[in-house]
Amino acid sequence: MYPTITNSNYSFSKENEPAATVPSGTTVKFSATDAFGGQITRQNAKDGLKNFDWNRVNPAAGPLKVEGAQPGDVLKVEILDIQITGDTAVLMTGNALGVCKEFFDDNHIRVVDIADGCVVFSPEIKLPIRPMVGVIGVAPAAEAVNNGTPGEHGGNMDCKEITAGSTLYLPVNVEGALLSIGDAHAAMADGESSGTGAEAPADILVKVEVLKNCPWPTPLIENDTHYMPLASALTADEAIDNAVLKGVGFLMNTQGMTRFDAITLISLAADVRICQVVDPLKTARLNIQKSLLKQN
Ligand code: CA
Ligand code: CA
């Protein structure tokens, strides 16, 4: 049995009491409700959001304190498994959410089935589930950041590449790092254009490890084929620029490239991708192919 975290919080804050404390190298299960705190069910969905408590939006399970993690370190979070634990998912968009805001006069929700490994969008359209977590991060050094907002600490990055088999590198800003995870999606495309993915509860199994003197930019995703620095900013333009600049620094630091070589190689071979365009800050990533790099 792995240590299991079920406590929820609504901000990344150094003031949050740890739900558990573990040594570096431990595998931990984060048991997270969906982004609505489980408030929307098939039964009550027909009533709309009449009794909906907006204070219970975007909970994250945690925080996990990792022994030995000190400011300046990097926390390596290997996503070993994401199991969607419900048999439905919630879709939402509305007048305050997503790219079609101006066309809606209210919020609209739909509860869809998850069956046979698919999100059943309609009888004709079934999407194979691809579980990912939208909210994953650590406590910032200074003021708390609500779970709806992404940033250098991670948080609500809504990046579909944060999925089983990938590893996320986060900065350690406070002693113990204070990792929290939530906002699982059974499926989500780059952009998250409606403002939500297929929102569902999940058990997320991760292995945490403290890295000393790690020169990598954060947040950074690694999977079998790519390194992907992430950046969040007020506009997608700025987020893209910052993700590319992190990629330039990454190639200079780890490959010994000049700035000219780094930016021109990125220009030829590293795709800029949007993670999401619907949160208070927008998130972009740069997909750097490992096959281009010297092996360590
Ligand atoms: Ca989210
Ligand atoms: Ca979400």
Side-chain angles (χ1 to χ4, degrees), residues 93-129:
T93 198
N95 59 350
L97 189 67
V99 169
C100 286
K101 286 188 192 77
E102 64 186 280
F103 299 97
F104 292 102
D105 53 10
D106 203 351
N107 285 302
H108 293 268
I109 51 179
R110 179 183 294 161
V111 176
V112 295
D113 284 326
I114 299 175
D116 301 326
C118 291
V119 174
V120 184
F121 182 79
S122 70
E124 299 78 29
I125 302 176
K126 295 178 185 170
L127 310 166
I129 65 167

Side-chain angles (χ1 to χ4, degrees), residues 58 134-135 156 158 183 185 192 195 199 279:
N58 266 326
V135 172
N156 195 18
D158 286 312
D183 187 29
H185 302 151
E192 202 188 17
E199 306 288 333
D279 294 332

Side-chain angles (χ1 to χ4, degrees), residues 24 41 44 65 93 100 107 114 160 165 167 183 195 222 231 266 276:
S24 177
T41 63
N44 69 19
K65 183 172 180 178
T93 198
C100 286
N107 285 302
I114 299 175
K160 71 177 187 183
T167 297
D183 187 29
E222 177 183 6
I266 285 170
Q276 58 76 25

Side-chain angles (χ1 to χ4, degrees), residues 177-190:
L178 301 181
L179 174 73
S180 296
I181 306 176
D183 187 29
H185 302 151
M188 191 200 93
D190 281 343

Side-chain angles (χ1 to χ4, degrees), residues 24-25 66-78 167-172 177 207-218 220 222 227:
S24 177
V66 184
E67 289 170 2
Q70 296 292 340
D73 296 342
V74 165
L75 187 69
K76 178 181 179 184
V77 185
E78 272 181 81
T167 297
L168 179 66
Y169 299 86
L170 291 165
V172 177
K207 183 180 175 191
V208 291
E209 193 179 337
V210 178
L211 305 181
K212 304 285 179 187
N213 305 313
C214 177
W216 292 0
T218 53
L220 176 86
E222 177 183 6
Y227 290 106

Side-chain angles (χ1 to χ4, degrees), residues 41-257:
T41 63
R42 183 176 291 295
Q43 289 70 34
N44 69 19
K46 60 182 182 310
D47 302 328
L49 295 170
K50 244 188 324 198
N51 300 312
F52 191 75
D53 180 356
W54 287 98
N55 292 321
R56 289 171 57 199
V57 169
N58 266 326
L64 176 73
K65 183 172 180 178
V66 184
E67 289 170 2
Q70 296 292 340
D73 296 342
V74 165
L75 187 69
K76 178 181 179 184
V77 185
E78 272 181 81
I79 318 276
L80 302 175
D81 189 41
I82 303 175
Q83 287 293 329
I84 300 293
T85 50
D87 55 9
T88 57
V90 181
L91 320 182
M92 185 192 283
T93 198
N95 59 350
L97 189 67
V99 169
C100 286
K101 286 188 192 77
E102 64 186 280
F103 299 97
F104 292 102
D105 53 10
D106 203 351
N107 285 302
H108 293 268
I109 51 179
R110 179 183 294 161
V111 176
V112 295
D113 284 326
I114 299 175
D116 301 326
C118 291
V119 174
V120 184
F121 182 79
S122 70
E124 299 78 29
I125 302 176
K126 295 178 185 170
L127 310 166
I129 65 167
R130 190 171 182 275
M132 52 154 284
V133 286
V135 172
I136 179 167
V138 294
E143 278 167 41
V145 178
N146 69 66
N147 285 359
T149 303
E152 290 297 291
H153 69 293
N156 195 18
M157 297 185 287
D158 286 312
C159 176
K160 71 177 187 183
E161 299 300 345
I162 303 178
T163 187
S166 69
T167 297
L168 179 66
Y169 299 86
L170 291 165
V172 177
N173 305 308
V174 302
E175 190 189 334
L178 301 181
L179 174 73
S180 296
I181 306 176
D183 187 29
H185 302 151
M188 191 200 93
D190 281 343
E192 202 188 17
S193 304
S194 82
T196 67
E199 306 288 333
D203 284 344
I204 302 115
L205 197 66
V206 304
K207 183 180 175 191
V208 291
E209 193 179 337
V210 178
L211 305 181
K212 304 285 179 187
N213 305 313
C214 177
W216 292 0
T218 53
L220 176 86
I221 300 167
E222 177 183 6
N223 65 17
D224 287 346
T225 54
H226 290 82
Y227 290 106
M228 294 170 261
L230 295 146
S232 300
L234 214 45
T235 66
D237 286 359
E238 201 184 338
I240 289 167
D241 284 358
N242 290 342
V244 171
L245 290 172
K246 286 183 180 183
V248 168
F250 177 75
L251 293 181
M252 291 172 70
N253 285 339
T254 65
Q255 305 294 306
M257 285 187 187

